[in-house]
Amino acid sequence: LVSKKIDQVDLFKSSDVKLWFFSGVTSSNDKKDLCMLVQLFVNGGIFISSEYEFQISLLDQLARGIDALVLEGIEFQDNVAILSISALGAPPGHPLIRHALEIV
């Protein structure tokens, strides 16, 4: 299933990504992040971390015309921005998700 989803993304050579994904050195967190981004890019949707409780309806926010939603923040470590995501939502092919895949 992962291989088929990766093949649907036109941003990278799927064979290179598959080698990275299935190598023994790739962390489970990195695999999780790639799966989340590929799923959002191909199908759209909302990712919600189970560690948080939200006081707003994410679906209501998207229905009001917001075309992408990122909740949490950016922290900096050694002048590198690290995005800590508690929720992420976007329609298929959204430029924000495309950019995230380009820099992964």
Side-chain angles (χ1 to χ4, degrees):
L1 183 59
V2 171
S3 290
K4 290 180 182 178
K5 289 289 183 187
I6 290 172
D7 287 340
Q8 294 178 35
V9 179
D10 63 348
L11 299 173
F12 36 64
K13 292 181 181 177
S14 60
S15 60
D16 293 344
V17 173
K18 287 179 194 175
L19 286 173
W20 171 84
F21 188 89
F22 292 111
S23 76
V25 298
T26 304
S27 76
S28 59
N29 280 338
D30 289 341
K31 290 179 181 184
K32 173 190 67 83
D33 291 344
L34 179 67
C35 287
M36 175 192 62
L37 290 170
V38 167
Q39 177 69 22
L40 284 174
F41 187 75
V42 172
N43 297 315
I46 299 174
F47 161 81
I48 300 173
S49 174
S50 61
E51 302 166 358
Y52 298 92
E53 179 180 344
F54 296 98
Q55 303 298 315
I56 62 170
S57 167
L58 302 179
L59 291 174
D60 287 348
Q61 298 302 312
L62 292 172
R64 288 182 17 200
I66 297 172
D67 69 345
L69 180 66
V70 178
L71 297 178
E72 193 56 46
I74 298 175
E75 56 187 72
F76 290 88
Q77 296 176 358
D78 299 323
N79 292 327
V80 175
I82 310 262
L83 181 62
S84 175
I85 299 173
S86 58
L88 179 62
H94 194 278
L96 175 70
I97 308 303
R98 174 181 284 276
H99 180 68
L101 284 167
E102 288 172 345
I103 62 174
V104 166

